[in-house]
Amino acid sequence: MDPDPTPPAWKHDGVRVIPGDRLDPNTAQTPGMDRKAAINFARVGAQKLWAGTVHIHPNAKTGAHHHGPLESVIYVVRGRARMRWGEQLQFVAEAEPGDFIYVPPFVPHQEINASPDQTLECVLVRSDGEAVAVNLDIEPAEPPESVRWIDPTHPQG
């Protein structure tokens, strides 16, 4: 069996650097936030992930939504994130810069900027090359139940 005589086109099909000022706002949106895509199938041919940014204005919150079968990771860069989730958004937790947030598939959730005067800035990664955002009409439970995360691999802290 002869090896493929054509070398890979690494120059244009290898590593990609997407400048921060060239992110694409033409992606699935949820009311109350501005998502911009950096990495997706359309832009770089990503098959198994989507990455970009999200900004939420001070005191603003998104509409309730989920991301279908996709897993999501949110990294808080600046500001304070308040997450609500559940069938009635009855659970709540907060995250600050340096914290990661994991959102499992199909979980109804809402992102809230907990700061009255600072934009919430996050990096967002999802487990597919296409963005999925399913907006939901949910009447939130009040008050929500605060949930503290416990690491199942280190339950004692």
Side-chain angles (χ1 to χ4, degrees):
M1 188 156 138
D2 292 330
D4 184 358
T6 308
W10 296 127
K11 180 177 180 179
H12 296 291
D13 294 331
V15 172
R16 317 282 171 71
V17 175
I18 293 77
D21 63 352
R22 304 276 305 273
L23 303 184
D24 185 5
N26 187 24
T27 188
Q29 298 292 335
T30 297
M33 67 172 31
D34 299 315
R35 287 189 192 103
K36 292 184 179 176
I39 308 295
N40 61 15
F41 179 77
R43 299 194 87 205
V44 301
Q47 301 288 314
K48 297 180 182 178
L49 58 86
W50 182 101
T53 61
V54 62
H55 290 90
I56 302 175
H57 298 288
N59 276 336
K61 61 185 176 184
T62 70
H65 61 284
H66 69 73
H67 301 288
L70 308 184
E71 293 178 289
S72 298
V73 173
I74 302 167
Y75 176 77
V76 181
V77 175
R78 182 174 290 120
R80 185 156 192 88
R82 181 175 298 132
M83 296 292 291
R84 288 187 68 170
W85 71 94
E87 294 300 323
Q88 294 181 294
L89 304 177
Q90 68 268 35
F91 306 113
V92 65
E94 291 196 1
E96 57 190 32
D99 290 347
F100 288 84
I101 300 165
Y102 171 68
V103 182
F106 296 104
V107 172
H109 63 282
Q110 175 184 51
E111 290 99 339
I112 301 167
N113 184 342
S115 172
D117 57 9
Q118 186 177 28
T119 299
L120 173 60
E121 298 178 22
C122 301
V123 173
L124 174 60
V125 178
R126 293 217 191 89
S127 61
D128 193 276
E130 293 298 324
V132 173
V134 178
N135 296 316
L136 304 169
D137 186 17
I138 291 177
E139 185 66 35
E142 294 298 343
E145 177 186 342
S146 183
V147 177
R148 183 177 160 274
W149 181 70
I150 297 172
D151 182 348
T153 62
H154 303 93
Q156 304 309 322

